[in-house]
Amino acid sequence: MLRLAIDTISNSANKFSANDFFSTKKSEIIVVMKSQLDKRLRQDVNIEIVFFQLLSIDLDDRYEKAIQDTEVSRQDIEKAEAERNKNNVT
């Protein structure tokens, strides 16, 4: 049963990019994984998934660092734009 669950979750994960796991799509990913896992386990072993939580995501360290750097840069841009808009208003 564990192998079945791992395979189902892996197949669900493959439908998304690595960037999706660190974006606003994470909630959507969790819903898809829970839904597919519930469907598969109900069908094969008559088990219902009531709660599903994605606790960790394991990526290559260099890729994960690049994603984090990109997110920090995006936040810096948003902060700079907000400051510029604030200065333009006053």
Side-chain angles (χ1 to χ4, degrees), residues 41-86:
L41 292 181
R42 280 178 188 253
Q43 179 182 15
D44 291 3
V45 289
N46 200 31
I47 292 176
E48 176 185 3
I49 300 298
V50 177
F51 179 77
F52 179 84
Q53 187 174 12
L54 186 58
L55 296 176
S56 66
I57 301 165
D58 188 27
L59 297 172
D60 180 87
D61 290 342
R62 292 174 297 165
Y63 189 74
E64 191 166 337
K65 175 79 169 102
I67 291 172
Q68 290 171 348
D69 290 346
T70 301
E71 182 62 21
V72 168
S73 295
R74 185 188 63 76
Q75 291 172 356
D76 288 344
I77 291 168
E78 288 178 1
K79 183 178 177 183
E81 288 174 348
E83 282 292 321
R84 185 183 67 209
N85 291 337
K86 177 183 167 189

Side-chain angles (χ1 to χ4, degrees), residues 1-37:
M1 181 176 74
L2 179 60
R3 183 79 248 158
L4 180 66
I6 291 171
D7 288 346
T8 303
I9 292 169
S10 293
N11 288 338
S12 298
N14 287 332
K15 296 177 180 176
F16 298 91
S17 73
N19 288 337
D20 291 340
F21 285 86
F22 294 93
S23 71
T24 57
K25 285 191 171 188
K26 188 173 179 184
S27 297
E28 178 185 341
I29 293 169
I30 292 169
V31 168
V32 168
M33 286 181 167
K34 179 187 180 291
S35 174
Q36 292 193 354
L37 184 61

